Amino acid sequence: MSEENELTFEQAMYKLEQIVEKLEDGDVPLEEAIAFYKQGMDLSRLCHQKLKTVEEQLTEILREDGELESFIVQEEE
Amino acid sequence: MSEENELTFEQAMYKLEQIVEKLEDGDVPLEEAIAFYKQGMDLSRLCHQKLKTVEEQLTEILREDGELESFIVQEEE
Amino acid sequence: MSEENELTFEQAMYKLEQIVEKLEDGDVPLEEAIAFYKQGMDLSRLCHQKLKTVEEQLTEILREDGELESFIVQEEE
Amino acid sequence: MSEENELTFEQAMYKLEQIVEKLEDGDVPLEEAIAFYKQGMDLSRLCHQKLKTVEEQLTEILREDGELESFIVQEEE
Amino acid sequence: MSEENELTFEQAMYKLEQIVEKLEDGDVPLEEAIAFYKQGMDLSRLCHQKLKTVEEQLTEILREDGELESFIVQEEE
Amino acid sequence: MSEENELTFEQAMYKLEQIVEKLEDGDVPLEEAIAFYKQGMDLSRLCHQKLKTVEEQLTEILREDGELESFIVQEEE
Amino acid sequence: MNDQKYLTVSALTRYIKRKFDVDPHLRDIYLKGEISNFKQHSSGHMYFTLKDERARILAVMFAANTASLKFKPQNGMNVLLRGDITVYEQSGQYQMYVKQMTTDGIGDLYIAYEQLKNRLEQEGLFSPLHKEKLPKYPSAVGVITSPTGAALRDILTTLKRRYPVAKVIIYPALVQGTAAAASVAKAITAANRRQETDVLIVGRGGGSIEELWAFNEEVVARAIFESKIPIISAVGHETDYTIADFAADLRAPTPTGAAEMAVPHLNELMERLQNRKNRLTRSVREKANADAARLARLDRSYAFRYPRQMYEQKLEQLDRAMERLKRESKRFFINKTDMLQRHVTALKKQHPQQRIADAESVLNRQERSIRRQMERIFAEKAKSLTHAISTLDALSPLKIMERGYSLTFTDNDTLVKSTEQVNKGDIITVTLRDGKIKAEVKDKRESAVNE
């Protein structure tokens, strides 16, 4: 998991897509499948976390931007 | 039994299916049949165990994923 | 933010412009995009602050100029 | 301001007009603009003072000239 | 004024005319303009005095000539 | 005036004419003009005197011996 | 007659004209006779007939030549002509083209007069260059004439009347007879030697040409020319010109006229003096007035009348500059604000929210997909296992026991198929449908069936 933490969102998504494709092939041995699945779920979680982080950052930015926003509105009146 | 523990689910299934085929031929002396059967039962038990393990893993993964899951659901509402 | 505080208005505006251009190009990874966006918003806020400061100074000067202003009006009567 | 005090009215006006032109051109950095503006206001005040001084001098001369004025009028009758 | 007293009427008039021209051209620096004006007023006063003196001399000469004048008139009758 | 007393009528008239011309040319400075005027009036008075102070016309005839003798006009009978 | 060539009138006339023109005897001829039929055209040309007792000839004198005439030609006048004879084609008449015309009747005297006049003129005695100017206000006037003549009386009367301030000196001279010329010349010389006068009047009253003749003599002309004192000639009447007249600095038509020319009129002088005085006063007055007006104009000049203009315009200039400064500063500020606003708007368009949403939906799809696949795989595997197990189960040899059969195993789990496999006392396990029975071999018998 530590290695995957260094992945970017896009890289993680790419890996996840590849795992889904592999699983869709159908002939995946059970143990491999569960391993893929586990890995896929980890990647998914990673992606979710990343999205969440991004989401939070955005919220923070929006909050900070609130004052600015109102300032501009005053300007344009 | 120790040898068979090293089998994969698919290998065990393969062996099991071969035993079934042999038994279906009908020409197997009882003693052998019993032996095959016994072996088949072992293999079956093994496969079952493997499935159960996988199932547990799945459950575990799902459980771990629970919070995330609910978060996503909330998001999508 | 301490570094950006040392930017001039024009430098900040230039940086902001470049960030907008990069984002408009569309090839920026998500995490970078959010970072860029954040930086853009910071720059924008900085610029706004600077503008506001200037506006205040302007107002102050105009206020100081008040007497002079009235003097001119008398002259023109 | 001590330096500008030594300027003639015309020099001060010339400086003032140059400042206005620079601002019109728009190539002035924001932070400098306020300095320019302030300088322009100072120059304006200087010019006004000079004009006022001249006006006072003129009033004084005209007052002294009163007798002559009446003399000329007599002459022309 | 002592210097100007030594001017002839024509020199004074010439100076005066030049001052008027300069002032009417409008290109005179503000600080100089008032000096010019003052000088112009002084010159004008000087010229008026000179004209007055001439006028008096003229009257005197004509008066002296009066007797002769009346004599000629008698002759011509 | 003593100098001018020694002038002949013709010289006086000549001077007078010249003064008149000069003054009429108009290029004489004011102060000189009045001086000229005074001189002209004196000359005019002088000429007048010369013309008026004549008694009987003197008529002489040259004798054979080179002497002049008074000549009496014989009235036409 | 038929072969005879006819000349045109023009051709004949031209022929005759040429004959006249080439004849030297008809060129520059001198002709005398009496004028008749005299006409002067408005153009100035003179047309007349010259005749004597027996013949007549037409004559024409063009205006260019008549200018020099000293008399006005009249019918009956005897004249001397000089000119050319030629034919006037239009009328076919020959006529004289007159270049010079003088009166006839003086004869030798006149020729002598003309000759002397020409000579002296060429010598330059009459040249305007040598004419001296008369003094304007002579203090003494010299008169050279006969002390008994009427001329002197006329002169003295006029001088007295006009200009009594001048002294008069009479230099007596003979003015008629053979000695007259020398006498006049001598008097002129004497007057010049004595230097008592500013101007000389030389003359006599009118008379015949012979009576005036002394004034046509060279000695008189030269004396006049030599004189340093300006001379006014006054000989005879208005129409008579003598050599002396030409030589004199000024010619008077009569002695009275000479006296008038010699001196100014006292009254005129007085007027002149008054006039000068007036002009003096007027010019000084005008000068003073002009200067006063000039000064007044300057006093009224815009610069002096509206001195505030000096700084009012500057004030306006300053106000304008200030207005611009304020406007430009504001505009500058607004421009910067607008620019920032533009950038911010552009940045906001790049808001990552959508990207996040898109990424999330892709992620969710993948997640669902992986889960579905995993479930599919698990289900498939489980199903195949179940199938295998049930098949195995169906084929179980143990099914026989269902019908009441049992399986006997030795204690080493070997299926007992023959009695020979066991001995008395061995422990065996009997497997039944529903369990196992542990038993001890009590006896063994060989089955007869197999035997």
Side-chain angles (χ1 to χ4, degrees):
Chain A
M1 194 111 158
S2 63
E3 184 193 357
E4 270 146 14
N5 240 336
E6 292 162 29
L7 292 173
T8 67
F9 178 81
E10 276 74 16
Q11 287 170 327
M13 280 296 283
Y14 180 71
K15 281 195 158 194
L16 180 58
E17 262 167 60
Q18 285 196 314
I19 283 164
V20 169
E21 266 174 44
K22 266 185 194 160
L23 288 179
E24 279 173 350
D25 274 356
D27 279 341
V28 190
L30 185 66
E31 284 91 350
E32 279 183 49
I34 193 68
F36 274 138
Y37 180 68
K38 200 169 154 54
Q39 196 184 351
M41 289 311 278
D42 285 347
L43 285 166
S44 163
R45 197 163 20 255
L46 176 67
C47 284
H48 269 296
Q49 269 174 356
K50 280 184 186 282
L51 278 177
K52 201 176 176 189
T53 309
V54 162
E55 201 76 51
E56 283 162 8
Q57 283 178 303
L58 210 64
T59 308
E60 174 66 11
I61 290 164
L62 283 174
R63 196 190 57 74
E64 278 174 13
D65 198 39
E67 298 159 34
L68 176 61
E69 210 52 61
S70 66
F71 171 79
I72 290 166
V73 172
Q74 280 184 332
E75 281 291 300
E76 284 176 348
E77 267 164 21
Chain B
M1 195 118 157
S2 63
E3 185 192 354
E4 272 144 14
N5 242 337
E6 292 161 29
L7 291 173
T8 66
F9 176 81
E10 276 71 21
Q11 287 171 329
M13 277 298 287
Y14 181 70
K15 281 194 160 190
L16 179 59
E17 272 158 17
Q18 281 193 319
I19 282 166
V20 168
E21 263 174 49
K22 268 181 191 163
L23 286 176
E24 276 176 342
D25 274 356
D27 286 341
V28 188
L30 185 63
E31 215 181 327
E32 265 184 68
I34 287 173
F36 274 139
Y37 181 72
K38 206 170 150 53
Q39 198 181 346
M41 288 307 282
D42 287 347
L43 284 165
S44 142
R45 205 162 18 253
L46 177 65
C47 282
H48 218 284
Q49 268 175 354
K50 281 187 186 281
L51 270 178
K52 206 177 177 186
T53 308
V54 163
E55 195 179 26
E56 282 164 8
Q57 282 179 299
L58 263 171
T59 307
E60 173 65 11
I61 290 163
L62 279 174
R63 197 190 55 76
E64 277 175 12
D65 202 37
E67 296 159 35
L68 180 59
E69 200 65 47
S70 67
F71 172 78
I72 290 166
V73 171
Q74 280 184 328
E75 280 291 298
E76 284 177 347
E77 269 165 16
Chain C
M1 193 108 159
S2 61
E3 184 193 357
E4 268 146 16
N5 241 335
E6 292 162 29
L7 293 172
T8 67
F9 177 81
E10 275 71 21
Q11 287 170 326
M13 284 289 280
Y14 179 71
K15 281 195 156 192
L16 179 57
E17 245 180 296
Q18 286 199 314
I19 281 165
V20 168
E21 264 175 46
K22 262 187 198 160
L23 287 177
E24 281 175 348
D25 276 355
D27 285 340
V28 188
L30 186 65
E31 281 119 320
E32 280 185 51
I34 196 74
F36 275 137
Y37 187 74
K38 192 170 157 55
Q39 197 184 350
M41 290 309 281
D42 287 347
L43 286 166
S44 139
R45 197 158 25 247
L46 175 69
C47 286
H48 265 292
Q49 271 174 355
K50 281 182 185 281
L51 274 176
K52 206 173 173 188
T53 308
V54 164
E55 197 187 26
E56 283 163 7
Q57 283 175 301
L58 218 68
T59 308
E60 174 66 12
I61 292 164
L62 280 174
R63 199 188 56 74
E64 275 173 16
D65 197 43
E67 295 159 38
L68 180 60
E69 200 65 49
S70 64
F71 170 78
I72 291 166
V73 173
Q74 280 183 331
E75 281 291 301
E76 284 174 348
E77 268 164 20
Chain D
M1 192 102 163
S2 61
E3 186 193 356
E4 268 146 17
N5 242 334
E6 291 162 30
L7 293 171
T8 67
F9 177 83
E10 276 73 19
Q11 287 170 326
M13 278 300 289
Y14 180 71
K15 279 194 156 193
L16 179 57
E17 267 157 22
Q18 283 198 316
I19 282 167
V20 170
E21 266 173 44
K22 265 187 194 159
L23 285 176
E24 267 176 353
D25 280 353
D27 284 340
V28 187
L30 184 69
E31 285 89 350
E32 280 181 49
I34 198 73
F36 272 133
Y37 183 67
K38 200 170 153 49
Q39 196 185 353
M41 294 305 284
D42 286 346
L43 285 166
S44 152
R45 205 163 10 243
L46 176 69
C47 286
H48 265 292
Q49 271 174 354
K50 281 181 185 283
L51 280 172
K52 208 173 174 189
T53 306
V54 165
E55 195 190 19
E56 284 162 7
Q57 283 176 307
L58 197 68
T59 307
E60 174 66 11
I61 290 165
L62 285 175
R63 198 187 57 74
E64 278 173 12
D65 199 43
E67 296 160 37
L68 178 61
E69 202 64 49
S70 64
F71 171 79
I72 290 166
V73 172
Q74 281 183 332
E75 282 288 299
E76 284 175 348
E77 268 164 18
Chain E
M1 191 103 165
S2 61
E3 186 194 356
E4 269 148 15
N5 242 334
E6 293 162 29
L7 293 171
T8 66
F9 178 81
E10 273 71 21
Q11 287 170 326
M13 283 292 281
Y14 179 71
K15 279 193 157 194
L16 182 57
E17 267 166 350
Q18 286 199 314
I19 281 166
V20 168
E21 256 177 56
K22 264 187 196 159
L23 285 177
E24 282 183 351
D25 274 358
D27 284 339
V28 187
L30 185 69
E31 286 90 347
E32 284 180 48
I34 195 74
F36 273 135
Y37 181 72
K38 199 171 153 50
Q39 198 185 351
M41 294 308 283
D42 288 345
L43 285 165
S44 162
R45 205 173 299 126
L46 177 69
C47 287
H48 272 290
Q49 273 174 354
K50 282 184 184 279
L51 269 178
K52 204 177 175 188
T53 307
V54 162
E55 202 68 51
E56 283 163 6
Q57 282 176 303
L58 214 70
T59 308
E60 173 67 9
I61 291 164
L62 279 173
R63 199 189 55 75
E64 277 174 15
D65 198 48
E67 295 160 37
L68 182 58
E69 197 69 45
S70 66
F71 173 77
I72 289 165
V73 172
Q74 281 182 332
E75 280 293 298
E76 283 176 350
E77 269 164 15
Chain F
M1 192 107 164
S2 61
E3 186 194 356
E4 271 149 12
N5 240 335
E6 292 161 28
L7 293 172
T8 64
F9 177 82
E10 188 166 3
Q11 285 170 324
M13 273 303 280
Y14 179 73
K15 278 195 156 193
L16 177 59
E17 298 270 0
Q18 284 199 313
I19 282 166
V20 169
E21 266 175 47
K22 254 189 203 161
L23 284 180
E24 282 181 347
D25 273 357
D27 285 339
V28 187
L30 186 66
E31 284 96 345
E32 282 183 50
I34 197 72
F36 274 133
Y37 179 64
K38 199 171 156 50
Q39 197 184 352
M41 291 304 274
D42 287 346
L43 285 166
S44 154
R45 202 174 299 113
L46 176 69
C47 286
H48 212 278
Q49 276 171 354
K50 278 186 189 279
L51 287 180
K52 281 295 163 190
T53 51
V54 152
E55 302 119 34
E56 193 58 21
Q57 185 162 44
L58 191 61
T59 308
E60 289 172 322
I61 188 161
L62 183 65
R63 289 195 321 220
E64 284 292 327
D65 59 6
E67 292 299 315
L68 291 172
E69 85 177 350
S70 188
F71 183 80
I72 313 298
V73 182
Q74 288 164 349
E75 288 302 310
E76 210 171 355
E77 277 151 27
Chain G
M1 180 142 166
N2 294 344
D3 294 333
Q4 189 61 51
K5 263 196 158 179
Y6 288 92
L7 288 169
T8 61
V9 177
S10 304
L12 176 63
T13 309
R14 205 173 305 124
Y15 174 76
I16 293 167
K17 184 181 189 312
R18 205 177 305 127
K19 282 278 167 195
F20 272 74
D21 288 349
V22 300
D23 188 344
H25 298 293
L26 296 178
R27 299 260 78 77
D28 196 28
I29 64 165
Y30 289 83
L31 187 69
K32 63 177 181 177
E34 185 190 328
I35 293 174
S36 66
N37 296 328
F38 179 81
K39 275 179 210 140
Q40 184 157 20
H41 202 265
S42 62
S43 59
H45 307 327
M46 292 172 177
Y47 300 93
F48 56 94
T49 305
L50 196 70
K51 65 175 186 181
D52 59 15
E53 291 82 348
R54 283 178 293 277
R56 56 183 56 212
I57 182 172
L58 293 174
V60 58
M61 190 171 191
F62 290 116
N65 298 315
T66 61
S68 63
L69 284 179
K70 291 182 174 67
F71 63 98
K72 186 171 164 50
Q74 286 170 330
N75 286 336
M77 193 179 269
N78 285 318
V79 290
L80 300 169
L81 303 181
R82 188 179 172 186
D84 304 319
I85 309 295
T86 188
V87 173
Y88 181 57
E89 286 178 64
Q90 271 93 329
S91 62
Q93 289 172 313
Y94 69 87
Q95 54 186 24
M96 182 164 190
Y97 288 86
V98 182
K99 286 174 186 158
Q100 289 178 3
M101 175 159 63
T102 53
T103 54
D104 189 18
I106 291 176
D108 289 349
L109 270 183
Y110 182 77
I111 292 161
Y113 163 85
E114 276 294 310
Q115 285 173 341
L116 177 62
K117 190 184 144 202
N118 287 340
R119 188 155 56 78
L120 292 182
E121 183 166 22
Q122 273 166 14
E123 224 181 288
L125 259 70
F126 308 156
S127 165
L129 294 175
H130 297 299
K131 305 288 186 205
E132 287 184 57
K133 257 187 99 175
L134 299 186
K136 273 186 182 169
Y137 315 105
S139 48
V141 180
V143 183
I144 296 173
T145 189
S146 164
T148 57
L152 178 61
R153 204 172 50 242
D154 290 347
I155 290 167
L156 290 179
T157 307
T158 306
L159 288 178
K160 185 180 177 185
R161 176 171 51 82
R162 284 175 66 88
Y163 199 59
V165 290
K167 183 175 166 187
V168 181
I169 296 175
I170 301 158
Y171 301 101
L174 292 173
V175 293
Q176 196 173 331
T178 47
S183 172
V184 169
K186 191 181 151 207
I188 292 170
T189 313
N192 269 284
R193 191 177 60 242
R194 295 179 66 91
Q195 286 291 321
E196 296 153 332
T197 53
D198 305 318
V199 60
L200 289 174
I201 299 170
V202 178
R204 51 153 293 147
S208 67
I209 184 86
E210 287 83 4
E211 284 171 335
L212 303 178
W213 198 252
F215 294 92
N216 279 327
E217 291 202 31
E218 187 172 353
V219 62
V220 172
R222 290 203 181 276
I224 290 172
F225 181 72
E226 295 295 331
S227 173
K228 296 280 175 267
I229 303 169
I231 291 179
I232 302 168
S233 71
V235 182
H237 294 293
E238 287 175 37
T239 52
D240 302 325
Y241 269 73
T242 62
I243 300 286
D245 285 334
F246 293 118
D249 296 299
L250 196 66
R251 175 199 175 250
T254 60
T256 301
E260 284 170 351
M261 286 175 181
V263 294
H265 197 292
L266 196 65
N267 288 347
E268 279 169 24
L269 263 187
M270 284 301 193
E271 272 172 38
R272 189 187 181 90
L273 211 52
Q274 185 60 34
N275 167 277
R276 296 303 181 267
K277 220 167 83 175
N278 290 345
R279 278 166 66 185
L280 266 183
T281 307
R282 191 171 60 237
S283 60
V284 167
R285 162 72 45 213
E286 274 171 10
K287 165 82 179 153
N289 286 348
D291 283 342
R294 201 169 138 213
L295 182 57
R297 217 161 41 238
L298 289 173
D299 283 339
R300 278 198 305 271
S301 74
Y302 194 71
F304 279 168
R305 270 202 300 174
Y306 304 107
R308 288 178 205 282
Q309 191 67 18
M310 279 190 303
Y311 64 84
E312 273 169 355
Q313 272 186 5
K314 312 253 180 190
L315 193 63
E316 195 183 330
Q317 193 189 357
L318 177 59
D319 285 348
R320 288 220 180 114
M322 276 317 295
E323 225 167 80
R324 275 175 69 206
L325 178 66
K326 278 179 196 166
R327 194 173 59 234
E328 289 310 325
S329 319
K330 203 165 182 187
R331 199 168 66 91
F332 179 85
F333 180 75
I334 287 169
N335 280 349
K336 296 279 180 188
T337 308
D338 283 352
M339 207 192 297
L340 175 60
Q341 188 56 46
R342 246 181 354 259
H343 289 332
V344 169
T345 305
L347 181 67
K348 288 257 167 86
K349 267 190 200 150
Q350 300 302 319
H351 198 289
Q353 187 65 61
Q354 190 56 45
R355 273 193 76 177
I356 291 169
D358 289 349
E360 212 148 41
S361 96
V362 172
L363 179 59
N364 286 338
R365 205 167 57 241
Q366 297 290 358
E367 204 180 275
R368 275 196 300 278
S369 182
I370 197 171
R371 202 171 286 163
R372 209 164 43 242
Q373 292 304 325
M374 193 58 222
E375 277 162 10
R376 181 183 58 77
I377 289 167
F378 185 80
E380 277 170 10
K381 302 279 176 185
K383 193 181 162 197
S384 65
L385 178 60
T386 310
H387 178 72
I389 287 171
S390 68
T391 313
L392 182 66
D393 193 46
L395 296 173
S396 172
L398 302 181
K399 287 280 183 189
I400 301 163
M401 286 183 287
E402 298 290 325
R403 285 176 278 158
Y405 298 98
S406 63
L407 289 172
T408 309
F409 297 89
T410 62
D411 55 358
N412 59 351
D413 266 351
T414 308
L415 185 65
V416 181
K417 297 183 210 169
S418 157
T419 51
E420 289 170 7
Q421 279 178 274
V422 291
N423 297 306
K424 208 177 151 191
D426 284 354
I427 301 295
I428 54 169
T429 306
V430 181
T431 306
L432 295 165
R433 183 186 55 93
D434 57 350
K436 289 180 182 189
I437 301 165
K438 225 161 199 186
E440 192 182 335
V441 181
K442 299 280 189 183
D443 190 20
K444 81 178 194 174
R445 274 172 294 199
E446 297 289 318
S447 169
V449 178
N450 282 357
E451 297 295 304

